[in-house]
Amino acid sequence: MPKSRRGRIAAAGGLSMLAMALIAPLASAALTSSSDPAVPTPADHVTDTSQLPPGWQKSGDRMVTYDGDATGLHVLVADAAHAYKWRTAATLSEPGIDTDQWIGQTCVTGSGDRAVVVYAPRQAVNDQEGFQRRAFAAVVDLADGKVTKLPELVSLAYFNPGCGDGEQAVLSRPQGDGTQLLTVDARQGRLVRQQAVPGQLTSAVPLGNKIAAALGNSVVSVDAHGDTSTLARTAGTPFRLVPDAHSGLAYQVPAGKKTQVHRVTSAGSDKLLGSGALGALAVRGTGGRVYLTGKDARDAVTESALPKSWKALDVPATAEVSTTGILALTAVGSGTEAAGGKKASAGTARPVGIDAVLSGTGATLGFRMKPRAPEQAQGDEQSPALSDGMHTDSITPEGTTASPASSDDNPATTTTDPDRACAVTRNDPKLQSLQPSPAMVEWAADLAVQGKLDVRRRAGWNGTDFASYTPQGLFPSHELKGGGRVPAQIMLGVLAQESNLIQATSRATAGESGNFTQGGYYGNGGSVHTVNWAAADCGYGISQVTSGMAKSDTTYTAAQQQAITVDYAANIAAGLQILQDKWNQLYDKGVLAGGGDPKYLENWWFALWAYNSGFNQPDPSDSAAPWGLGWFNNPANGIYPADRKMFLSSGYDDARTPNLWSYPERVLGWAAYSQQKTDPATGTTGKAFTVGSWPTGSAPDAEPAHDTFCKPTDNECDTSKPRKVEGSSQPEGPCQRDDFKCWWHQPVSWTDCATMCGTEVLKYQAGDPEPTVTPVHPAACTSALPPNALIVDDVPSTVKFRVGATNPCASKRNWVNRGTLEFTFGSAEQNGVTVYPSKIDFHQLGAGFGGHFWFTHTRVADHTDSVVTGTWTPDRKIKGWARVMVHLPDHQADTDQATYHIDLGDGTVVDKTISQDTGGKNTWVSLGSYEFHGTPSVLLSSDTANGTGDDSIAWDALAFEPLPGKPSDAVTPSPSAS
């Protein structure tokens, strides 16, 4: 299969009245902008306790949920005995991963004391390997917040993890020709059994001393030896397995537009209890209690017919239910799950809103809480799944040398990566990516699809050495076969899904420059201690352009590769080409949706499918061989829940769990409902871009049924015959082939697009000027120090500070650079090659003094491979007294243990420790006055006694201010212990 080249695009602007009708309703607490003065801010607990059932003070009911942002996946807990006051049990993340959102799932053990959690960066859902085998797992003690990370990577599928009625849980992942089942003893916080079982089982949960799981059209049990036996055979694919307290198991089976609810015992006695509409009836539960939820729950099964420990609740089918069923959550979110693109300050999580209903009375409740993990360092420490099990096959890529010849290309001292595998390096101050605002992205996408993205980038744009160019001069639009063009909302939906509409790192705000947002540049798989160039994924920027961006790839010229990296508009133009090529590839093979009219959004379903996971070409030597679009993104695939609705159609809460939908479903969801963005000036949240328009006002009306691309005569797929292939790593499902090559290559129409399908809504027309943005963190251009101060900037004078074509420091700079800042980077030996893991978490931003500074996060000294050291040296000797001043930027600098080692020029070193937190201001801070006796230097290292990877430490400008004599703040030298 050819490697897919991914692209991303976004839009922001006014909405038509019809488009407004498509917006999912906002939950009262969970998704309303906190800045709206008309909406009262809910408390973090029930304030009117008269609403609670009698005896709530002694109730053992507990609600556990989760929400993710850039700081981690927050495990949130509320107990009835404390009026459901919300608290944070833990926040889970990995130090080597730069993401705008952590996602995942939890389950609660039978005691209610512990949660088993699967978590991953949002980007994992865009990659089949990441989805199936790259999620992390941990056990969280819900009382004291203790986090025990587990030493294996697992699947991100919706059914993982699965808890039983005791303290054990099951994790799973495809492995080779089978499934790896991992049994967790949550009380001990360790894996107690690993089993390789032939075939792939789904929805695995503990059942007695065995494991129950779905296998094809059966529910099976797996004993300690890995042998399977059938408990029940069904007419569909079983899903949502929930153990009850009496050796039984609840599960669902889809049956056309309905879902059936069954109970099977460990002895194999199976009973159909009732059925309801798909999406209107669901099975939930924990600790041996089983709850039927949804509007059809009470009609599906009479109360008297329910087994012991089962109960029907009058709450939505999608609701999360507390341990004893008293409270049900109807929406959870910070309002930023569908926003992305902004990296919070270290340790700063987004407030979370929660909507709930009391199942007994139907009373609605609203909560608002700020996640604050009591043991944050535990949740941030690197998973042993990376440190113990990660292969580090580091290589010296083609075209590089293992031993650089000069300091300019020595990876031990240069900020860049001369030993990299990808085309354009990180941390080159002359190649910074400008972060666009949502309006800028929508402007570029709208003009690009019209073939009019011809804005002139003048020479030196954004501080580069580029010659003048236009984005679609470098990357011309490709004509679509059959005529027409890409709708703007399709391109915006791709960009929203791929990059959350950002070109630069999520640490950069709109109007600020920094390193490009990238996929797996270091090939580290999330480990902060691993550099694996052989596994590098060279995805760049807002469209995550991948193919053509390896160092050895000549698809693009060097100038094109650099423009893709630096310029969001050029990146969008390149991403558009990729999407157009996918359409043309499928058009040539006759794989068309809805007759192939590109103006309808749904007709891009196949091109989006190919854009994400590629297209398998026909075998010219074997006409009977399967070919077409792969099984992973087929909506009929069993890794997606059968009762899901259109992505985002139920609200932005869907963005917490994007792994429940295939790639085309997610893109169409963004096209219909948009992302959300917060205005930094006002704090209000709104649509990031203009959404499409649907004739009926309802985008879900035009979505294909989940089995649309599943036909026995077309791709050997049959939903009426769910099947599990023995020895396969694929989940049970409708594919009838042993090799799971149920690849789709037929034209299909599932609706009348003229009356049902979406079309684009343009905000910007050809000739509209590029929107401007005012940076939240403007540079400090002017020095307030005395004229004789020797300012040593953090970058050479050859680096030009620009924001696009603008020089914000024009006529303001009243200083010159009088020295150098040089770095040394912590290294490690991996497979006989020296690599530099310290660069993984090393960053640059176009802000601070003069428009540039560097930063990383603090580590303890033992983590030598993660430590960065910077040394400022002036270009002359100083003899006599001088004050040392350090400039601290207004963000990304907050450690309270920044220790500066000041060399007085004669070998005497004095230490000065300060806090770098300036309260959000660009400012100069004195390190004291000293008597110098030669060429001085000041060294700052990222190792601190409390370094956990949370606090940021920055290197900006430093200055030596000569003094006429001994000042009042003179420091008596006291030799440094180092």
Side-chain angles (χ1 to χ4, degrees), residues 506-538:
S506 58
R507 291 175 167 87
T509 57
E512 188 175 19
S513 292
N515 288 324
F516 54 90
T517 186
Q518 49 86 32
Y521 174 89
Y522 289 104
N524 58 324
S527 171
V528 76
H529 300 293
T530 298
V531 174
N532 185 8
W533 296 124
D537 176 5
C538 303

Side-chain angles (χ1 to χ4, degrees), residues 243 296 310 312 359 418 446 464 508 527 545 559 568 636 659 828 852-853 868 897-898 951:
D296 289 354
W310 287 48
S359 62
D446 281 3
T464 64
S527 171
V545 177
Y568 76 96
N659 49 309
H852 189 278
F853 69 93
V868 177
Q897 292 193 15
D951 296 336

Side-chain angles (χ1 to χ4, degrees), residues 957-977:
L958 185 138
F960 300 88
E961 179 189 334
L963 301 171
K966 185 176 180 178
S968 59
D969 63 345
V971 177
T972 301
S974 131
S976 166

